[in-house]
Amino acid sequence: MRVTQSMISQHTLRNMSNSYEKLMNLQERATSGKKLNRPSDDPIGAVKSLNYRINLNENNQYKENFTEAYKWLDNSDGSLEEANKVMQRIRELTVSASNGTKLEDEREAIRLEVSGLKEHLVSIANKNIEGKFLFNGINTGQAPVDNKNGTIVVGASEKPISIELSKGFPIDISTDGTGVFSQAFFDNLTKLEQSLAEGSSGEEIGDQLSAMDENINSIISARTLIGARTNRLEIMEARLNEQGELLEKKLSDVEDIDFEKAIMDLQMQETVQRAALAVGAKIMQPSLVDFLA
Protein backbone atom coordinates (compact mmCIF):
# COMPACT_ATOMS: atom_id res chain seq x y z
CA MET A 1 0.00 0.00 0.00
CA ARG A 2 1.32 3.40 -1.01
CA VAL A 3 1.63 5.78 1.93
CA THR A 4 0.91 9.34 0.97
CA GLN A 5 1.73 12.59 2.73
CA SER A 6 -2.01 13.08 3.32
CA MET A 7 -2.27 9.72 5.10
CA ILE A 8 0.73 10.57 7.26
CA SER A 9 -0.80 13.94 8.18
CA GLN A 10 -4.19 12.46 9.03
CA HIS A 11 -2.64 9.69 11.13
CA THR A 12 -0.44 12.18 12.97
CA LEU A 13 -3.34 14.56 13.66
CA ARG A 14 -5.51 11.70 14.92
CA ASN A 15 -2.83 10.54 17.34
CA MET A 16 -2.21 14.10 18.51
CA SER A 17 -5.94 14.54 19.08
CA ASN A 18 -6.09 11.34 21.16
CA SER A 19 -3.06 12.54 23.12
CA TYR A 20 -4.76 15.90 23.78
CA GLU A 21 -7.92 14.15 24.97
CA LYS A 22 -5.95 11.94 27.37
CA LEU A 23 -4.04 14.98 28.64
CA MET A 24 -7.31 16.86 29.18
CA ASN A 25 -8.80 13.92 31.14
CA LEU A 26 -5.71 13.70 33.35
CA GLN A 27 -5.82 17.44 33.99
CA GLU A 28 -9.50 17.24 34.87
CA ARG A 29 -8.86 14.41 37.35
CA ALA A 30 -5.96 16.23 38.96
CA THR A 31 -8.06 19.40 39.28
CA SER A 32 -11.25 17.75 40.61
CA GLY A 33 -9.54 15.05 42.64
CA LYS A 34 -12.09 12.56 41.23
CA LYS A 35 -11.71 9.56 38.96
CA LEU A 36 -15.40 9.78 38.11
CA ASN A 37 -16.34 13.14 36.63
CA ARG A 38 -19.02 11.64 34.37
CA PRO A 39 -20.64 8.17 34.13
CA SER A 40 -18.78 7.40 30.90
CA ASP A 41 -15.46 7.53 32.76
CA ASP A 42 -16.31 4.22 34.46
CA PRO A 43 -19.91 2.94 34.06
CA ILE A 44 -19.48 0.15 36.63
CA GLY A 45 -17.80 2.50 39.09
CA ALA A 46 -20.57 5.04 38.53
CA VAL A 47 -23.21 2.47 39.54
CA LYS A 48 -21.22 1.55 42.66
CA SER A 49 -20.80 5.23 43.50
CA LEU A 50 -24.54 5.83 43.19
CA ASN A 51 -25.35 2.91 45.49
CA TYR A 52 -22.79 4.03 48.07
CA ARG A 53 -24.20 7.56 48.03
CA ILE A 54 -27.76 6.25 48.52
CA ASN A 55 -26.59 4.21 51.50
CA LEU A 56 -24.69 7.19 52.89
CA ASN A 57 -27.79 9.39 52.61
CA GLU A 58 -29.78 6.76 54.53
CA ASN A 59 -27.00 6.59 57.11
CA ASN A 60 -27.05 10.38 57.56
CA GLN A 61 -30.84 10.35 57.94
CA TYR A 62 -30.57 7.75 60.69
CA LYS A 63 -27.99 9.98 62.40
CA GLU A 64 -30.55 12.80 62.42
CA ASN A 65 -33.09 10.37 63.88
CA PHE A 66 -30.63 9.56 66.67
CA THR A 67 -30.42 13.27 67.50
CA GLU A 68 -34.22 13.39 67.79
CA ALA A 69 -34.31 10.20 69.88
CA TYR A 70 -31.68 11.49 72.31
CA LYS A 71 -33.58 14.77 72.63
CA TRP A 72 -36.77 12.92 73.64
CA LEU A 73 -35.04 10.57 76.07
CA ASP A 74 -32.84 13.24 77.66
CA ASN A 75 -35.74 15.64 78.18
CA SER A 76 -37.98 12.86 79.51
CA ASP A 77 -35.30 11.70 81.94
CA GLY A 78 -34.61 15.26 83.06
CA SER A 79 -38.31 15.84 83.73
CA LEU A 80 -38.61 12.59 85.66
CA GLU A 81 -35.53 13.45 87.71
CA GLU A 82 -37.25 16.69 88.67
CA ALA A 83 -40.46 14.80 89.48
CA ASN A 84 -38.52 12.41 91.68
CA LYS A 85 -37.07 15.32 93.68
CA VAL A 86 -40.57 16.73 94.13
CA MET A 87 -41.92 13.37 95.32
CA GLN A 88 -39.01 12.96 97.73
CA ARG A 89 -39.93 16.34 99.22
CA ILE A 90 -43.58 15.32 99.49
CA ARG A 91 -42.51 12.14 101.27
CA GLU A 92 -40.46 14.18 103.73
CA LEU A 93 -43.48 16.38 104.36
CA THR A 94 -45.65 13.28 104.88
CA VAL A 95 -43.23 11.95 107.49
CA SER A 96 -43.18 15.36 109.16
CA ALA A 97 -46.98 15.62 109.17
CA SER A 98 -47.33 12.13 110.68
CA ASN A 99 -45.74 13.52 113.84
CA GLY A 100 -48.61 13.81 116.28
CA THR A 101 -47.11 16.87 117.95
CA LYS A 102 -47.55 19.09 114.88
CA LEU A 103 -49.70 22.15 115.51
CA GLU A 104 -52.67 22.97 113.30
CA ASP A 105 -50.96 25.91 111.61
CA GLU A 106 -47.90 23.75 110.92
CA ARG A 107 -50.04 21.13 109.22
CA GLU A 108 -51.71 23.82 107.17
CA ALA A 109 -48.32 25.02 106.03
CA ILE A 110 -47.44 21.45 105.03
CA ARG A 111 -50.76 21.08 103.18
CA LEU A 112 -50.13 24.28 101.24
CA GLU A 113 -46.65 23.09 100.25
CA VAL A 114 -48.00 19.67 99.22
CA SER A 115 -50.68 21.40 97.16
CA GLY A 116 -48.07 23.53 95.41
CA LEU A 117 -45.84 20.53 94.76
CA LYS A 118 -48.78 18.61 93.33
CA GLU A 119 -49.41 21.45 90.90
CA HIS A 120 -45.74 21.35 90.00
CA LEU A 121 -46.02 17.64 89.23
CA VAL A 122 -48.95 18.41 86.92
CA SER A 123 -46.76 20.88 85.06
CA ILE A 124 -43.99 18.26 84.79
CA ALA A 125 -46.47 15.69 83.46
CA ASN A 126 -47.52 18.28 80.87
CA LYS A 127 -43.92 19.14 79.96
CA ASN A 128 -43.55 19.92 76.26
CA ILE A 129 -40.54 20.50 74.03
CA GLU A 130 -40.95 22.57 70.90
CA GLY A 131 -44.72 22.35 71.29
CA LYS A 132 -44.76 18.54 71.73
CA PHE A 133 -45.88 16.96 74.99
CA LEU A 134 -43.40 14.37 76.27
CA PHE A 135 -45.71 12.08 78.21
CA ASN A 136 -48.70 11.63 75.94
CA GLY A 137 -47.47 9.09 73.42
CA ILE A 138 -48.39 9.84 69.83
CA ASN A 139 -50.84 12.56 70.93
CA THR A 140 -48.02 15.10 71.20
CA GLY A 141 -50.33 18.04 70.58
CA GLN A 142 -52.53 17.40 73.63
CA ALA A 143 -51.65 17.72 77.33
CA PRO A 144 -51.94 14.33 79.10
CA VAL A 145 -53.10 15.79 82.43
CA ASP A 146 -55.99 18.21 82.94
CA ASN A 147 -56.54 20.05 86.19
CA LYS A 148 -59.86 21.85 86.40
CA ASN A 149 -61.40 23.09 89.63
CA GLY A 150 -58.91 21.05 91.64
CA THR A 151 -59.86 17.80 89.90
CA ILE A 152 -56.98 16.12 88.12
CA VAL A 153 -57.86 13.92 85.16
CA VAL A 154 -55.22 11.83 83.41
CA GLY A 155 -55.92 11.05 79.76
CA ALA A 156 -52.47 10.07 78.54
CA SER A 157 -52.15 7.92 75.44
CA GLU A 158 -50.59 4.49 75.86
CA LYS A 159 -49.46 4.32 72.21
CA PRO A 160 -45.75 5.23 72.11
CA ILE A 161 -43.79 7.24 69.58
CA SER A 162 -41.45 5.07 67.53
CA ILE A 163 -38.56 6.19 65.36
CA GLU A 164 -36.51 4.09 62.95
CA LEU A 165 -32.84 4.19 63.90
CA SER A 166 -31.77 1.32 61.69
CA LYS A 167 -33.44 -0.23 58.68
CA GLY A 168 -36.39 -2.27 59.93
CA PHE A 169 -35.70 -1.57 63.63
CA PRO A 170 -38.03 1.10 65.12
CA ILE A 171 -37.36 2.11 68.74
CA ASP A 172 -39.86 3.56 71.21
CA ILE A 173 -38.59 6.94 72.39
CA SER A 174 -41.55 8.24 74.40
CA THR A 175 -42.33 7.45 78.02
CA ASP A 176 -45.72 5.98 78.86
CA GLY A 177 -47.47 8.73 80.79
CA THR A 178 -50.08 6.31 82.12
CA GLY A 179 -47.31 4.27 83.74
CA VAL A 180 -45.83 7.24 85.58
CA PHE A 181 -48.29 10.11 85.99
CA SER A 182 -51.28 7.82 86.27
CA GLN A 183 -54.66 8.64 87.75
CA ALA A 184 -53.64 6.72 90.88
CA PHE A 185 -50.45 8.81 91.09
CA PHE A 186 -52.40 12.06 91.45
CA ASP A 187 -55.20 10.48 93.48
CA ASN A 188 -52.60 9.52 96.10
CA LEU A 189 -51.49 13.16 96.32
CA THR A 190 -55.07 14.44 96.49
CA LYS A 191 -55.83 12.01 99.31
CA LEU A 192 -52.80 13.21 101.27
CA GLU A 193 -53.83 16.82 100.73
CA GLN A 194 -57.35 16.10 101.96
CA SER A 195 -56.07 14.25 105.03
CA LEU A 196 -53.97 17.26 105.95
CA ALA A 197 -56.93 19.59 105.43
CA GLU A 198 -59.31 17.42 107.49
CA GLY A 199 -56.93 17.12 110.44
CA SER A 200 -56.44 13.37 110.19
CA SER A 201 -54.33 11.74 112.86
CA GLY A 202 -50.60 11.38 112.47
CA GLU A 203 -51.00 7.63 112.16
CA GLU A 204 -53.52 7.98 109.31
CA ILE A 205 -51.18 10.34 107.46
CA GLY A 206 -48.25 7.99 108.10
CA ASP A 207 -50.20 5.17 106.48
CA GLN A 208 -50.03 7.11 103.20
CA LEU A 209 -46.25 6.79 103.03
CA SER A 210 -46.67 3.56 101.07
CA ALA A 211 -48.69 5.45 98.45
CA MET A 212 -45.94 8.07 98.18
CA ASP A 213 -43.40 5.26 97.76
CA GLU A 214 -45.53 3.83 94.95
CA ASN A 215 -45.38 7.18 93.19
CA ILE A 216 -41.61 7.34 93.61
CA ASN A 217 -41.17 3.77 92.38
CA SER A 218 -43.19 4.50 89.24
CA ILE A 219 -40.82 7.37 88.45
CA ILE A 220 -37.73 5.24 89.14
CA SER A 221 -39.05 2.43 86.91
CA ALA A 222 -39.62 4.86 84.06
CA ARG A 223 -36.12 6.32 84.42
CA THR A 224 -34.65 2.81 84.45
CA LEU A 225 -36.39 2.06 81.16
CA ILE A 226 -35.11 5.32 79.68
CA GLY A 227 -31.58 4.41 80.78
CA ALA A 228 -31.84 1.01 79.08
CA ARG A 229 -33.07 2.62 75.87
CA THR A 230 -30.28 5.19 75.99
CA ASN A 231 -27.69 2.42 76.33
CA ARG A 232 -29.20 0.63 73.37
CA LEU A 233 -29.12 3.85 71.34
CA GLU A 234 -25.43 4.34 72.11
CA ILE A 235 -24.61 0.82 70.89
CA MET A 236 -26.66 1.28 67.71
CA GLU A 237 -25.16 4.72 67.08
CA ALA A 238 -21.61 3.34 67.36
CA ARG A 239 -22.43 0.66 64.80
CA LEU A 240 -24.06 3.24 62.52
CA ASN A 241 -20.95 5.43 62.67
CA GLU A 242 -18.77 2.45 61.77
CA GLN A 243 -21.01 1.69 58.79
CA GLY A 244 -20.82 5.33 57.70
CA GLU A 245 -17.01 5.32 57.83
CA LEU A 246 -16.90 2.08 55.81
CA LEU A 247 -19.25 3.49 53.17
CA GLU A 248 -17.21 6.69 52.90
CA LYS A 249 -14.03 4.62 52.42
CA LYS A 250 -15.66 2.52 49.70
CA LEU A 251 -16.97 5.64 47.98
CA SER A 252 -13.52 7.21 48.15
CA ASP A 253 -11.96 4.08 46.65
CA VAL A 254 -14.35 4.30 43.69
CA GLU A 255 -14.34 8.08 43.13
CA ASP A 256 -11.15 9.62 44.48
CA ILE A 257 -7.81 9.63 42.71
CA ASP A 258 -4.35 8.80 44.04
CA PHE A 259 -2.88 12.31 43.83
CA GLU A 260 0.73 11.19 43.61
CA LYS A 261 -0.01 8.79 40.76
CA ALA A 262 -2.28 11.36 39.07
CA ILE A 263 0.48 14.02 39.06
CA MET A 264 3.03 11.54 37.72
CA ASP A 265 0.64 10.42 34.97
CA LEU A 266 -0.07 14.04 34.07
CA GLN A 267 3.60 14.95 33.86
CA MET A 268 4.31 11.89 31.76
CA GLN A 269 1.45 12.68 29.40
CA GLU A 270 2.65 16.29 29.06
CA THR A 271 6.08 14.95 28.09
CA VAL A 272 4.46 12.60 25.57
CA GLN A 273 2.39 15.49 24.19
CA ARG A 274 5.43 17.70 23.71
CA ALA A 275 7.31 14.89 21.98
CA ALA A 276 4.30 14.22 19.71
CA LEU A 277 4.15 17.89 18.72
CA ALA A 278 7.86 17.93 17.95
CA VAL A 279 7.70 14.75 15.86
CA GLY A 280 4.53 15.90 14.12
CA ALA A 281 6.16 19.17 13.14
CA LYS A 282 8.97 17.29 11.42
CA ILE A 283 6.76 14.70 9.71
CA MET A 284 4.21 17.18 8.38
CA GLN A 285 6.73 19.12 6.25
CA PRO A 286 5.45 21.03 3.21
CA SER A 287 5.59 18.95 0.03
CA LEU A 288 5.31 19.76 -3.71
CA VAL A 289 1.57 19.04 -3.52
CA ASP A 290 1.13 22.00 -1.14
CA PHE A 291 2.31 24.35 -3.90
CA LEU A 292 0.40 22.83 -6.87
CA ALA A 293 -2.97 24.13 -5.85
Side-chain angles (χ1 to χ4, degrees):
M1 181 180 69
R2 180 173 176 272
V3 179
T4 66
Q5 183 67 29
S6 176
M7 293 172 63
I8 293 174
S9 298
Q10 290 176 3
H11 185 71
T12 301
L13 289 172
R14 183 168 58 252
N15 288 337
M16 289 176 64
S17 177
N18 291 337
S19 179
Y20 266 123
E21 184 177 357
K22 187 174 182 180
L23 179 62
M24 183 185 69
N25 288 336
L26 289 172
Q27 287 176 334
E28 186 179 33
R29 289 186 178 189
T31 302
S32 67
K34 299 293 183 181
K35 290 185 286 188
L36 292 174
N37 291 292
R38 59 188 61 82
S40 60
D41 291 340
D42 182 1
I44 295 177
V47 172
K48 289 182 178 180
S49 173
L50 178 61
N51 289 333
Y52 290 148
R53 287 188 177 279
I54 290 174
N55 290 333
L56 269 174
N57 288 336
E58 289 181 352
N59 189 277
N60 290 333
Q61 179 59 58
Y62 288 135
K63 286 182 179 180
E64 292 181 8
N65 290 352
F66 269 98
T67 300
E68 183 70 14
Y70 279 124
K71 181 175 71 175
W72 271 88
L73 292 176
D74 290 345
N75 279 290
S76 297
D77 187 58
S79 297
L80 291 176
E81 181 181 14
E82 184 180 356
N84 186 55
K85 292 178 179 178
V86 173
M87 277 305 311
Q88 292 292 349
R89 176 56 182 164
I90 291 177
R91 191 183 192 284
E92 291 174 5
L93 292 171
T94 304
V95 172
S96 178
S98 65
N99 186 341
T101 61
K102 287 289 181 183
L103 299 177
E104 184 177 345
D105 58 343
E106 291 177 316
R107 284 202 176 189
E108 176 61 14
I110 291 175
R111 186 192 69 78
L112 290 174
E113 185 173 354
V114 168
S115 178
L117 292 172
K118 183 178 73 171
E119 288 299 315
H120 187 49
L121 285 169
V122 171
S123 68
I124 294 174
N126 288 336
K127 184 71 175 291
N128 74 83
I129 302 296
E130 298 175 357
K132 296 179 179 180
F133 290 95
L134 291 176
F135 301 108
N136 202 15
I138 60 172
N139 295 335
T140 58
Q142 179 181 352
V145 179
D146 188 15
N147 186 8
K148 289 184 177 180
N149 301 322
T151 301
I152 297 176
V153 178
V154 178
S157 171
E158 296 181 2
K159 192 170 183 180
I161 297 174
S162 295
I163 189 168
E164 193 172 50
L165 301 174
S166 182
K167 197 165 186 177
F169 290 96
I171 303 294
D172 293 345
I173 60 171
S174 60
T175 301
D176 182 9
T178 61
V180 185
F181 303 109
S182 63
Q183 190 65 60
F185 182 97
F186 288 105
D187 287 347
N188 290 339
L189 298 174
T190 300
K191 183 179 179 181
L192 174 62
E193 189 179 9
Q194 291 173 345
S195 297
L196 291 168
E198 294 168 358
S200 299
S201 66
E203 184 178 355
E204 290 174 329
I205 293 175
D207 290 341
Q208 296 187 42
L209 280 172
S210 60
M212 299 305 106
D213 289 337
E214 287 177 6
N215 285 10
I216 293 172
N217 289 335
S218 69
I219 296 172
I220 293 173
S221 296
R223 294 193 69 192
T224 301
L225 182 58
I226 290 175
R229 287 176 178 170
T230 301
N231 291 337
R232 184 180 179 186
L233 256 64
E234 290 173 350
I235 294 172
M236 294 177 67
E237 187 180 30
R239 185 170 68 243
L240 186 72
N241 289 334
E242 290 175 359
Q243 291 174 346
E245 291 174 0
L246 180 61
L247 286 169
E248 288 176 355
K249 182 180 182 302
K250 289 183 176 180
L251 182 63
S252 178
D253 291 342
V254 171
E255 290 187 349
D256 297 340
I257 63 171
D258 181 340
F259 274 101
E260 292 181 358
K261 184 177 183 303
I263 295 301
M264 289 177 62
D265 289 344
L266 180 59
Q267 291 175 343
M268 185 178 294
Q269 186 59 32
E270 288 174 344
T271 301
V272 170
Q273 183 66 23
R274 284 194 295 269
L277 289 172
V279 172
K282 292 181 179 180
I283 291 176
M284 298 173 62
Q285 295 292 333
S287 65
L288 178 61
V289 178
D290 295 313
F291 299 99
L292 294 177

